[in-house]
Amino acid sequence: MKISGLHYRTIWPTASGSVRVIDQSRLPFAFATIDLETLDDAAGAIRSMVVRGAPLIGATAAYGMALALRSDPSDASLDEAARTLKATRPTAHNLAWALARMRAALATVAPADRLEAAFGEAASICDADVEQCRAIGIHGAEIIRRSAAAAGRTLNILTHCNAGWLACVDWGTALAPIYRAHDEGIEVHVWVDETRPRNQGASLTAFELAAHGVPHTVIADNLGGHLMQRGRVDMVIVGSDRTTAAGDVCNKVGTYLKALAAHDNAVPFYAALPVSTIDWSIERGGDIPIEERSPMELTHITGRTASGNIETVRVVPESSRALNLAFDVTPAKLVTALITERGVCAATRSGLRSLYPDRGLSA
Amino acid sequence: MKISGLHYRTIWPTASGSVRVIDQSRLPFAFATIDLETLDDAAGAIRSMVVRGAPLIGATAAYGMALALRSDPSDASLDEAARTLKATRPTAHNLAWALARMRAALATVAPADRLEAAFGEAASICDADVEQCRAIGIHGAEIIRRSAAAAGRTLNILTHCNAGWLACVDWGTALAPIYRAHDEGIEVHVWVDETRPRNQGASLTAFELAAHGVPHTVIADNLGGHLMQRGRVDMVIVGSDRTTAAGDVCNKVGTYLKALAAHDNAVPFYAALPVSTIDWSIERGGDIPIEERSPMELTHITGRTASGNIETVRVVPESSRALNLAFDVTPAKLVTALITERGVCAATRSGLRSLYPDRGLSA
């Protein structure tokens, strides 16, 4: 997508053999890129959320494995890289998926040829993600088009966290249908959940939508239920960090509360996701490990002062402890449908099987 | 309640004829009081949330009317004071209730005697609030005692916003049962919703609980649903800014989402409130006017920098607009029971009538 008229992806290889990413920890007030030179650079970028979003975590892990092979293309180095990268974030399924795909592609390649093969495979993972997100956009836009036609007015879509192009390589998952609908001339307006504690909605989704010219309004995470009660939300679209084989959706913490409100007010609730987020080995969302992050993400907030400096302030008194769990699970019963690159399906085992009769083995 | 060992109320008259309040806009990082000298001082303190919380808004409005009479005790002055104070906050019912009570008490008093009568009536409103909150604490603690005995371990109670003693004159509504249970030696732990956008949970509830020594953990508003899914919340207790005659509870925005999650996970959900928050003239929560406040409460956050300065930072990009509605309505069907100064009742018309056969007319 475009920033100030220039087309960007979130990650790309440079001519010198490093990998360049947009530093998302500095958005929305500064746009900067960082060059990843080593495995540790890549692991650190994922851990510190310089890059985040399930698909982009997978893409960065793939390139991280390639970077590890620059200094040592041995089997031991491959093992070590996979272990290090796997440990960076426990919930997002794309991480494990991308690492498994890289290992499968490199296993039979001689060490001397691995570096080139690894960069090739990582690029292929990125290209596939772009194509999948584009397809999600097409399938999701069809739903928006029908709803807008039925409503006969601007369609109000609520989203939580950032599942836009910044969360992927390009296009996005939840936002891809919105971008496509907007580009087709359908009038949409997006309610952007601030998404505490890291404010990915206020800082990333708002930034993306503004850069693309999509009308939107930032709201507190607390407000969505009231807006649904008053008929001001026509649909909810979110992303997914891991989707179970039975259709439970693990996504940014707070998603479940919006799904409950949508259900209570008969507002359709969609999760948009590429096949790489589906964990076919898990049925129940309750079995997904939930990442616990630093309480400082909650107790401190970074923003821009009136004088233009970036400053971090503490908002919780020192005498109080804080708990910061990053994800929750929305049970399939609350999900109207899943939007994937292969089409739209019920959030059920049979729904997913109808789109993936191979159960994702060929993905 | 106590701060640094000294007992405080949130509002009290001074020897010089002014009214002193704790400046809640500066908590938790600074404890300071402000003297209100005039009607405009009182109205400004309510509007800017130097004082907030349904019962304290009512108490401040009562004293605001007394302050207006210092310069002019005429009928016209009474009318003007009531109009000005009524317009400060549209949702909290205690405001209208306190103003009506003051006017009824002063109507038959000669202008020359009104100032003294007004201060007397305002003090009586404050004393009654303290007594009502104390009674709410007794009735609510009984519920906590039973639940703790059944659980046989520390009881985890989630609360949203601040309905503690800082929201009242003393004791609090939602927190009164918690203080009482804690003082009786029952082991309780409180999950404190941060409560965006004004962070009353992180800044006021956390401050109160820490000052009183009650174990607690601050969480993002997004986390409560997940904690309930995993069995880590035993009950929810919130306050109310206006309760309808049929038991719908209008409270700080986001309360409805917690009530939905509580219902979905069979967690009891209580609202604690004095009779003064009950609006007997309204049946449906949907008819309650919802206050819209400045978007700056969402786009900017104030906190303390590492160097100890209080600083305000912008967290939403300038290119995005924001909407800030302050309350939502939890339908009675999601409320397990109401805890009032007269006891515990079902959140229904007949439940309320069982406690208030006079429909609150004598309150």
Side-chain angles (χ1 to χ4, degrees):
Chain A
M1 306 296 282
K2 290 185 176 175
I3 295 177
S4 308
L6 291 177
H7 182 264
Y8 281 92
R9 284 185 171 188
T10 52
I11 187 168
W12 64 97
T14 72
S16 69
S18 66
V19 174
R20 194 162 292 165
V21 296
I22 297 172
D23 182 354
Q24 303 195 22
S25 68
R26 297 183 60 191
L27 287 172
F29 297 118
F31 178 79
T33 60
I34 290 182
D35 284 1
L36 313 177
E37 303 280 356
T38 64
L39 166 65
D40 285 348
D41 287 351
I46 297 173
R47 204 180 295 116
S48 65
M49 296 180 66
V50 161
V51 293
R52 23 65 55 202
L56 179 55
I57 288 170
T60 308
Y63 272 119
M65 197 166 250
L67 290 172
L69 302 180
R70 288 173 90 184
S71 55
D72 178 359
S74 69
D75 284 1
S77 171
L78 259 186
D79 289 348
E80 172 60 20
R83 248 197 316 275
T84 300
L85 289 161
K86 182 84 161 53
T88 52
R89 303 283 309 268
T91 301
H93 184 60
N94 298 62
L95 181 56
W97 172 88
L99 293 172
R101 178 164 156 175
M102 289 295 287
R103 294 193 68 149
L106 299 174
T108 56
V109 177
D113 300 326
R114 273 184 184 160
L115 182 60
E116 194 180 336
F119 268 92
E121 188 66 12
S124 159
I125 285 176
C126 289
D127 290 344
D129 185 69
V130 173
E131 187 49 34
Q132 288 176 334
C133 287
R134 205 181 64 84
I136 287 170
I138 292 171
H139 298 305
E142 176 62 28
I143 297 174
I144 295 176
R145 194 179 306 116
R146 280 201 310 269
S147 301
R153 53 159 174 74
T154 298
L155 207 70
N156 292 296
I157 305 172
L158 185 144
T159 192
H160 189 69
C161 198
N162 174 261
W165 74 268
L166 289 170
C168 306
V169 178
D170 205 347
W171 281 104
T173 53
L175 297 194
I178 293 170
Y179 285 129
R180 188 153 196 111
H182 173 81
D183 290 350
E184 287 179 7
I186 299 167
E187 288 192 358
V188 293
H189 164 262
V190 184
W191 296 112
V192 178
D193 272 2
E194 171 185 37
T195 317
R196 292 282 295 146
R198 281 191 65 104
N199 293 30
Q200 294 95 328
S203 58
L204 303 179
T205 300
F207 171 85
E208 273 195 30
L209 292 173
H212 199 77
V214 180
H216 64 283
T217 305
V218 177
I219 54 175
D221 301 307
N222 285 322
L223 186 56
H226 172 75
L227 293 177
M228 291 186 215
Q229 286 179 309
R230 302 281 166 121
R232 299 178 70 180
V233 180
D234 296 302
M235 67 173 64
V236 180
I237 312 181
V238 298
S240 173
D241 289 81
R242 192 184 303 208
T243 311
T244 72
D248 289 354
V249 173
C250 182
N251 191 46
K252 184 58 51 190
V253 68
T255 301
Y256 164 56
L257 295 170
K258 293 301 137 60
L260 284 167
H263 191 258
D264 196 41
N265 295 283
V267 172
F269 181 97
Y270 300 99
L273 50 110
V275 63
S276 48
T277 67
I278 305 172
D279 185 345
W280 303 99
S281 74
I282 289 187
E283 281 282 317
R284 292 172 4 95
D287 294 334
I288 297 174
I290 300 295
E291 177 178 1
E292 179 172 349
R293 297 185 57 85
S294 165
M296 278 193 65
E297 295 186 346
L298 184 65
T299 58
H300 292 68
I301 297 179
T302 300
R304 194 169 64 189
T305 66
S307 54
N309 298 322
I310 301 302
E311 180 75 83
T312 298
V313 296
R314 172 180 266 277
V315 292
V316 174
E318 281 87 347
S319 44
S320 299
R321 73 181 206 102
L323 175 67
N324 179 21
L325 302 176
F327 300 93
D328 66 20
V329 173
T330 298
K333 66 174 181 180
L334 300 176
V335 180
T336 306
L338 302 173
I339 306 171
T340 83
E341 75 284 357
R342 291 197 186 173
V344 177
C345 73
T348 60
R349 169 168 278 286
S350 63
L352 279 167
R353 278 207 175 137
S354 72
L355 293 184
Y356 301 96
D358 47 3
R359 298 188 66 218
L361 296 180
S362 71
Chain B
M1 305 298 280
K2 289 184 177 176
I3 295 177
S4 306
L6 291 177
H7 181 264
Y8 280 92
R9 284 185 171 190
T10 53
I11 186 167
W12 65 95
T14 71
S16 68
S18 66
V19 174
R20 194 163 290 166
V21 296
I22 297 172
D23 183 354
Q24 302 194 22
S25 69
R26 297 182 61 190
L27 288 171
F29 297 117
F31 179 78
T33 59
I34 290 182
D35 284 3
L36 312 177
E37 303 281 355
T38 65
L39 166 65
D40 285 349
D41 286 353
I46 297 172
R47 204 180 296 116
S48 65
M49 297 180 64
V50 161
V51 293
R52 26 63 55 202
L56 179 55
I57 288 170
T60 308
Y63 272 119
M65 197 166 251
L67 290 172
L69 302 181
R70 289 172 91 185
S71 54
D72 178 359
S74 69
D75 284 1
S77 171
L78 260 185
D79 288 347
E80 171 60 20
R83 247 197 317 275
T84 300
L85 290 161
K86 181 84 162 55
T88 52
R89 303 282 311 266
T91 301
H93 185 59
N94 299 60
L95 181 56
W97 172 88
L99 293 172
R101 178 164 156 175
M102 289 295 286
R103 295 192 67 151
L106 299 174
T108 57
V109 178
D113 301 326
R114 273 184 184 159
L115 182 60
E116 194 180 336
F119 268 91
E121 188 66 13
S124 161
I125 284 175
C126 288
D127 289 345
D129 185 69
V130 174
E131 186 50 33
Q132 288 176 334
C133 287
R134 205 182 63 84
I136 288 170
I138 292 172
H139 298 305
E142 176 63 27
I143 296 174
I144 295 175
R145 193 180 306 115
R146 281 201 310 269
S147 300
R153 54 160 172 74
T154 298
L155 208 69
N156 292 297
I157 305 173
L158 185 144
T159 192
H160 189 68
C161 197
N162 173 262
W165 73 270
L166 289 169
C168 306
V169 178
D170 205 347
W171 280 104
T173 53
L175 297 194
I178 293 170
Y179 286 128
R180 190 156 194 109
H182 173 82
D183 290 351
E184 289 178 7
I186 299 167
E187 288 192 357
V188 293
H189 164 262
V190 184
W191 295 113
V192 177
D193 271 0
E194 172 184 38
T195 318
R196 290 284 294 149
R198 282 190 65 104
N199 292 32
Q200 293 97 328
S203 58
L204 303 179
T205 300
F207 171 85
E208 273 195 29
L209 293 173
H212 199 77
V214 180
H216 64 281
T217 305
V218 177
I219 55 174
D221 300 307
N222 285 322
L223 185 57
H226 171 76
L227 293 177
M228 292 187 215
Q229 285 179 311
R230 302 282 167 120
R232 299 177 70 179
V233 180
D234 295 303
M235 67 174 63
V236 180
I237 313 181
V238 298
S240 174
D241 289 82
R242 193 184 301 209
T243 311
T244 72
D248 288 353
V249 173
C250 182
N251 191 47
K252 185 57 52 189
V253 69
T255 301
Y256 165 55
L257 295 170
K258 294 301 138 62
L260 285 168
H263 190 259
D264 197 43
N265 294 283
V267 173
F269 181 96
Y270 301 99
L273 50 110
V275 63
S276 48
T277 66
I278 305 172
D279 185 346
W280 302 99
S281 75
I282 289 187
E283 282 282 318
R284 290 171 8 92
D287 295 336
I288 297 174
I290 300 295
E291 177 178 3
E292 179 172 348
R293 296 185 58 84
S294 165
M296 279 192 63
E297 294 185 348
L298 184 66
T299 58
H300 292 68
I301 297 179
T302 299
R304 194 168 65 188
T305 66
S307 54
N309 298 322
I310 301 301
E311 180 75 80
T312 298
V313 296
R314 172 180 266 277
V315 292
V316 175
E318 281 86 348
S319 45
S320 299
R321 72 181 206 102
L323 175 67
N324 178 20
L325 301 176
F327 300 93
D328 65 21
V329 174
T330 298
K333 67 174 181 182
L334 300 176
V335 180
T336 305
L338 302 173
I339 306 171
T340 84
E341 74 283 356
R342 291 198 185 171
V344 177
C345 73
T348 59
R349 168 167 280 284
S350 62
L352 279 167
R353 277 208 175 135
S354 72
L355 292 185
Y356 302 96
D358 46 5
R359 298 189 63 219
L361 296 181
S362 71

